[in-house]
Amino acid sequence: MNLLAQVDPKTFWNATNGSSELFIKLALALIFGIALATGLMFAPPQLRKWVVRVVTFVSGLFYVLFWLFPAPISRQPNDAPRGTVEALSFFISDSQSVVASLTNVIAGFLIGLGIYSLLRVHLGKIAKQQKDWFFSAVLVISMFLMIFFGYGDYIQRQDPKNFVLADMKNWGWINYGRDLLFDGLLQNMDAGMFSVVAFYIMSAAYRAFRARSIEATILLVTALVVMLSLMGVVELMWSGMIDKISPDNPIVQSFKLSAVSSWLRSNVQTPAIRGIDFGVGIGLMAMGLRLWLSLEKTGGDS
Amino acid sequence: MGQQYLDTGWFLMFLTLLMVGFILFNISRAHGGKDLYIRRISGLNAIDEAVGRATEMGRPVLMVPGLSDTTVNAKTMQAINIFGYVSRVAARFGNPILVCCYNASTFTVAQEIIRDVYQQEGLIDKYDVDSVRFISDRQFAFAAGVSGLILREKAAATFFMGEFYAESLILAETANSVGAIQVASSTELTQTPFFIAACDYVLIGDEFYAASAFLTRQPVLVGSLVGQDWCKLAIIGMIIAGTLTNTLQQRGEITQEHKEGKIVDLPKPRNVLAKDTIFSRLLKPDPEKDIKVAREHLPPDQVPSGGGSDK
Amino acid sequence: MALVEPNPNPSFLEKLQSIPKPVIYGILLVVSTIPLFFSVKLPNKPIDASIDFYAQTMKLPDGCKVILCSDWTNSTRGESKGEMEALLKLLMRKHIKFVLLSIGDTQAPQVAKDTIREVSASEVASGGTPYKEFEDYVNLGYYAAAEGTILAINNKVLSIAKGKKDFPEGAGPKDALLSPVFQGIKSVSDFNMFFLVTASGTNRTILERITKCPLMYMVSGVMVPENTSYYASGQLKGLCGGVKGVYDLETIMEAGINNPGPDLIESDKYKGESIPGWKGKTNKGKGTAYYLALHFTLALLILAVVIGNVGMFAAKRRAK
């Protein structure tokens, strides 16, 4: 029985797009979901813990099987599985794209949760006129403006007749509003905030790059070499100087900025990054394993 | 043999399962009461000092569990677990906290965990629901929001742990400008240098994952940490073995080579290349390219519309 | 943290270790802005990773199909837009069709579309043909579930385009799978290359999951060290990083590789081959525009570090 795969012929678990059968099934699923959530709220904590563990395990199990269970080799669309093992591998393979879509759906609902949190905090601040409530008002107004103009523009563009909106001459006030808020304000404020990083890099480097110890001095010198190698003019002058000293001696030639910087990258930086990557990767795997098997006690229990 | 094993070979799958085995074995060892040693991690020793300082100054402790995608992943969970410990210390000192979340799923998980911490400490009446808040899921809007919070609330201690990108330096420098003591860790190696330049204590690489074991000494976490160390030793062993076998093997000439799962004769002898060595073939086998499998066909009305994977 | 007691009457050299931040920011603002008004051709030696990027792109058959994953937004346009423009110029000149998608940011599809339009207009202005949406490239938009989407691309590439609509010029939305870009495509291995232009962590997501198609990345400068290890191991066929990477590409687009001439760019890896450039076309872009500013800002950074250390040593000597 194909529980997840969107297959033809139709099974109990799916229905044709836009049909009344689909909407009835969606409504029933919604009622069932609300009933389940309400039931869980009143369930004792021990039962809830087990429900969470089982759901976590089953959800993680799908991708563990996807990676580990032998995937079908050279499968054609109309192939039938040769036994139970291959039937399971066909099912997992068919379901993967549907599971990916499920994550998209959950992400959509989570945005609603985020909006709820924002509104609760900031509307509360405005109502009680707490410190800096003006900023909260700006946030709430900006949010509703963006929702209004952004969604309005999107709805208009979905109409097949409105392909003319690709030309600015055919824009209405909603389209101009979205353009002002998104391209004019949000995009440029994003770029402005990122530009601030340049100033912070300068002040952080000035404050932190001090030769206080041997290791710090080595770090400082290698950083200077790498920075100088990015400057084409300096690289040319340095190479000219090296060529004047000895154009044919390979040992002297290996002191060119590009050669030194390349050596530092290949033999110092890359192995160090690889080493840290190994550790981080193993740590991530261990963390994932503990979460999947619900071995972790959360909350920083001592 | 599955399709995924054709690329990676059996060895990498065996290695993965071996590492999983190391971790689970050491977890059971730790559960059995065995006392396992973890070295000091200076950034974590500073947590109590940082929270104490914040309490003396009467200013809040600010925590940011990183910028993950729409879902809560292992890195975010690890950060929230560490913040659970920090919140426990802050709750005992009666110090206000602020947890700034990048996405709504992190916000729900963080809220649950922090509330549980206050409940366990018997201080649920001191728990402020608005201390855990969702700021924005836009990277620089988030950075602007958190920077604004740091400046207005004048946080005395800041903890930045998890996935950070370009906004790391904005947050760290802003906290530095208000004189906050900072403990940071980024799982993105590109941002670690920025944290090192701007923060007081930095956890590098997998010190971040060791943090929860170090702080709580839970057997599961300590055992897992020791298991990770066994995995690293296995990899070091493989690197040494690989280097030695490659060095010894890459001498002389060969007259046959492995190609697409078969041994074929070479038209003329050639030098041994890296791809001919044992380790290279173990880690990157060269399988037969066009494997045909004869299967029966489904009747047309039973062919799944989304079925069939690409070759 | 200062290692010595603050001196009530610091000398000039000691004051150098504590220049106020507004002064540093003001100098940086001036030094980084003024060079933007000058267009100067600076000498440049492209690195191997950039040479590989150009060579592998030029070796793609004309008219083939590639995937272009664009995960950058206007916040990193200083680097990423230049990279995107350089890549699009190469793809358009070789009439390579591409599937455009994003997994990193909801803003990314729009900025990519705007850049494609600009580059297409500039190619038309220098005698090329315009690139039309739906005919020459298809825009699949943003996918929220990055890992699942990339897995689906590797496993069943057509499934990600199912139900997606794109907008041909002068017409309403059409099913993306009907686009000429998808004609003849059954698997991700039917695409000749997977390009990623990113400033976020989507590089790993793709590297871990795409196994049937060669990969090439264009990343921001700060991500170059991390991705160099993947390039060094051969998992990436080429790598272009930061403003320097963009300028490398623009330099190579002018001169080619191992092409005899005044601006000869030699490569031992492609010895015996001569890969042509695109002399006479508009090759200059953001790399050329920003490289001079990069020089000045790096020089200022080095100067600031040196001055800070001079001040520190002066204070230490005074304390002794």
Side-chain angles (χ1 to χ4, degrees), chain A residues 6 63 66-67 71 75 92-97 99-101 103-104 107 157-164 166 178 182-183 186-188 190-196 198-207 209-213 217 220 223-224 226-236 239 256 258 262 265-266 269-271 273-274 277 280-281 284, chain C residues 1-3 15-19 21 24-26 28-29 32 42-45 47-48 73-77 79 105-107 110-111 114 117 143-149 151-153 155-156 159 167-173 204 208-209 224-226 228-230 232-233 244 291 294-302 304-309 312-313 316:
Chain A
Q6 291 163 338
Y63 273 107
F66 183 82
W67 285 110
R75 179 189 169 190
I92 293 169
S93 176
D94 291 340
S95 308
Q96 191 274 322
S97 50
V99 170
S101 305
T103 325
N104 277 332
R157 285 177 195 270
Q158 294 311 298
D159 190 335
K161 293 190 224 81
N162 277 344
F163 62 87
V164 295
R178 186 212 72 93
F182 186 77
D183 288 310
L186 180 63
Q187 298 269 51
N188 288 315
D190 254 0
M193 279 298 295
F194 191 64
S195 309
V196 163
F199 296 93
Y200 284 155
I201 286 175
M202 181 63 81
S203 62
Y206 170 71
R207 195 182 63 241
F209 269 14
R210 302 283 165 95
R212 292 196 179 99
S213 62
T217 311
L220 184 61
L224 288 177
V226 171
M227 279 195 279
L228 288 170
S229 74
L230 291 173
M231 297 157 73
V233 170
V234 173
E235 219 269 313
L236 182 74
S239 301
K256 280 186 175 173
S258 54
S262 173
R265 281 207 185 103
S266 319
Q269 186 184 68
T270 301
I273 287 176
R274 279 196 184 129
D277 266 344
V280 169
L284 198 54
Chain C
M1 228 182 292
L3 292 176
K15 281 185 198 169
L16 288 179
Q17 69 165 336
S18 49
I19 299 174
K21 276 187 190 169
I24 299 173
Y25 294 163
L28 175 62
L29 182 65
S32 59
L42 292 169
N44 182 37
K45 187 172 186 295
I47 57 174
D48 289 341
T73 62
N74 267 338
S75 50
T76 54
R77 66 186 174 201
E79 293 170 309
D105 197 294
T106 48
Q107 296 176 32
Q110 186 61 44
V111 300
D114 293 341
R117 276 198 210 113
Y143 292 83
E147 288 95 350
T149 303
L151 258 182
I153 288 176
N155 231 20
K156 216 185 300 181
S159 68
F167 294 80
E169 273 182 37
R204 289 203 184 174
E208 287 162 4
R209 290 161 181 82
V224 166
E226 174 193 352
T228 299
S229 56
Y230 304 130
S233 65
K244 168 83 167 87
Y291 201 47
L294 181 70
H295 271 70
F296 277 95
T297 44
L298 282 173
L300 179 66
L301 189 61
I302 292 169
V305 168
V306 168
I307 286 173
N309 278 284
M312 184 189 77
F313 281 118
K316 266 189 180 170

Side-chain angles (χ1 to χ4, degrees), chain C residues 120-136:
Chain C
S120 175
S122 124
E123 287 296 295
V124 166
S126 56
T129 48
Y131 243 57
K132 296 186 182 145
E133 189 163 359
F134 198 82
E135 298 295 321
D136 301 306

Side-chain angles (χ1 to χ4, degrees), chain C residues 255-274:
Chain C
I257 299 170
N258 292 335
N259 259 352
D263 302 318
L264 171 66
I265 294 170
E266 284 177 311
S267 167
D268 286 337
K269 186 170 174 184
Y270 298 98
K271 214 175 205 170
E273 288 177 67
S274 173

Side-chain angles (χ1 to χ4, degrees), chain B residues 100-173:
Chain B
C100 303
C101 300
Y102 180 69
N103 66 59
S105 47
T106 309
F107 159 70
T108 47
V109 173
Q111 208 174 39
E112 283 299 313
I113 288 176
I114 303 296
R115 186 174 47 220
D116 277 349
V117 164
Y118 274 81
Q119 198 148 35
Q120 283 161 19
E121 292 296 310
L123 296 164
I124 192 67
D125 51 322
K126 292 230 163 71
Y127 170 62
D128 179 6
V129 170
D130 292 337
S131 61
V132 181
R133 50 179 80 172
F134 166 73
I135 305 289
S136 170
D137 63 353
R138 312 300 324 148
Q139 182 185 17
F140 288 105
F142 179 79
V146 174
S147 298
L149 264 176
I150 292 171
L151 288 170
R152 289 193 299 277
E153 302 294 331
K154 295 212 181 338
T158 55
F159 295 88
F160 303 122
M161 296 198 177
E163 279 179 77
F164 285 90
Y165 300 98
E167 73 293 333
S168 60
L169 196 57
I170 295 177
L171 301 177
E173 279 291 299

Side-chain angles (χ1 to χ4, degrees), chain A residues 6 9 67-69 71 73-74 78-80 86 110 113 120 132 194 203 207 284 287 290 296 299-301, chain B residues 3-5 13 78 81 88 104 108 117 120 129 140 152 166 173 209 216 224 291 295-296 298 301 305:
Chain A
Q6 291 163 338
W67 285 110
L68 293 182
F69 199 83
I73 297 176
S74 189
N78 59 351
D79 275 352
E86 215 169 57
L110 286 172
L113 189 59
R120 211 212 30 234
D132 297 324
F194 191 64
S203 62
R207 195 182 63 241
L284 198 54
M287 181 81 199
R290 294 198 306 265
E296 190 119 335
D301 290 344
Chain B
Q3 177 73 42
Q4 69 270 49
Y5 300 142
M13 205 50 65
Q78 176 67 6
N81 282 343
R88 189 179 299 277
T108 47
V117 164
Q120 283 161 19
V129 170
F140 288 105
R152 289 193 299 277
E173 279 291 299
Y209 295 106
T216 63
S224 167
I291 300 174
R295 295 188 184 95
E296 288 175 9
L298 291 169
D301 58 337
S305 59

Side-chain angles (χ1 to χ4, degrees), chain B residues 3-311:
Chain B
Q3 177 73 42
Q4 69 270 49
Y5 300 142
L6 294 179
D7 286 335
T8 57
W10 63 270
F11 183 73
L12 281 175
M13 205 50 65
F14 163 73
L15 191 66
T16 307
L17 292 173
L18 183 70
M19 291 202 275
V20 167
F22 283 160
I23 293 167
L24 293 175
F25 172 70
N26 279 285
I27 287 175
S28 68
R29 263 177 90 209
H31 264 306
K34 194 147 175 64
D35 188 26
L36 301 166
Y37 168 76
I38 308 175
R39 68 162 171 88
R40 250 185 47 145
I41 301 175
S42 52
L44 300 172
N45 281 334
I47 287 178
D48 287 352
E49 175 204 335
V51 177
R53 186 165 171 262
T55 311
E56 279 170 28
M57 296 166 89
R59 283 151 50 172
V61 172
L62 186 131
M63 295 169 264
V64 181
L67 281 64
S68 61
D69 295 332
T70 46
T71 54
V72 179
N73 56 27
K75 299 170 196 174
T76 315
M77 274 312 302
Q78 176 67 6
I80 294 172
N81 282 343
I82 298 171
F83 293 160
Y85 175 83
V86 176
S87 306
R88 189 179 299 277
V89 176
R92 287 175 189 161
F93 287 146
N95 205 49
I97 59 164
L98 276 169
V99 181
C100 303
C101 300
Y102 180 69
N103 66 59
S105 47
T106 309
F107 159 70
T108 47
V109 173
Q111 208 174 39
E112 283 299 313
I113 288 176
I114 303 296
R115 186 174 47 220
D116 277 349
V117 164
Y118 274 81
Q119 198 148 35
Q120 283 161 19
E121 292 296 310
L123 296 164
I124 192 67
D125 51 322
K126 292 230 163 71
Y127 170 62
D128 179 6
V129 170
D130 292 337
S131 61
V132 181
R133 50 179 80 172
F134 166 73
I135 305 289
S136 170
D137 63 353
R138 312 300 324 148
Q139 182 185 17
F140 288 105
F142 179 79
V146 174
S147 298
L149 264 176
I150 292 171
L151 288 170
R152 289 193 299 277
E153 302 294 331
K154 295 212 181 338
T158 55
F159 295 88
F160 303 122
M161 296 198 177
E163 279 179 77
F164 285 90
Y165 300 98
E167 73 293 333
S168 60
L169 196 57
I170 295 177
L171 301 177
E173 279 291 299
T174 307
N176 185 276
S177 72
V178 298
I181 184 167
Q182 299 183 72
V183 182
S185 176
S186 175
T187 54
E188 299 304 309
L189 287 171
T190 49
Q191 302 305 321
T192 302
F194 296 124
F195 275 145
I196 288 175
C199 298
D200 298 293
Y201 299 96
V202 180
L203 308 178
I204 300 174
D206 57 337
E207 284 180 342
F208 172 65
Y209 295 106
S212 50
F214 179 85
L215 291 171
T216 63
R217 302 283 168 166
Q218 283 178 32
V220 167
L221 303 178
V222 174
S224 167
L225 194 61
V226 175
Q228 287 171 50
D229 282 349
W230 285 27
C231 297
K232 283 175 218 162
L233 284 172
I235 291 176
I236 291 169
M238 270 183 52
I239 291 172
I240 293 171
T243 311
L244 284 172
T245 51
N246 273 20
T247 308
L248 292 169
Q249 272 197 290
Q250 274 192 270
R251 290 196 275 173
E253 292 180 337
I254 48 169
T255 53
Q256 290 177 320
E257 68 171 354
H258 290 256
K259 199 170 179 169
E260 293 190 22
K262 298 187 192 85
I263 298 175
V264 297
D265 292 323
L266 290 165
K268 57 177 183 175
R270 62 163 172 78
N271 289 335
V272 178
L273 301 172
K275 66 176 178 127
D276 300 315
T277 57
I278 296 173
F279 252 89
S280 180
R281 291 209 319 273
L282 260 181
L283 295 171
K284 207 178 164 191
D286 184 14
E288 192 184 330
K289 290 267 182 302
D290 277 315
I291 300 174
K292 296 270 181 277
V293 177
R295 295 188 184 95
E296 288 175 9
H297 294 312
L298 291 169
D301 58 337
Q302 283 183 28
V303 173
S305 59
S309 55
D310 303 335
K311 57 183 189 313

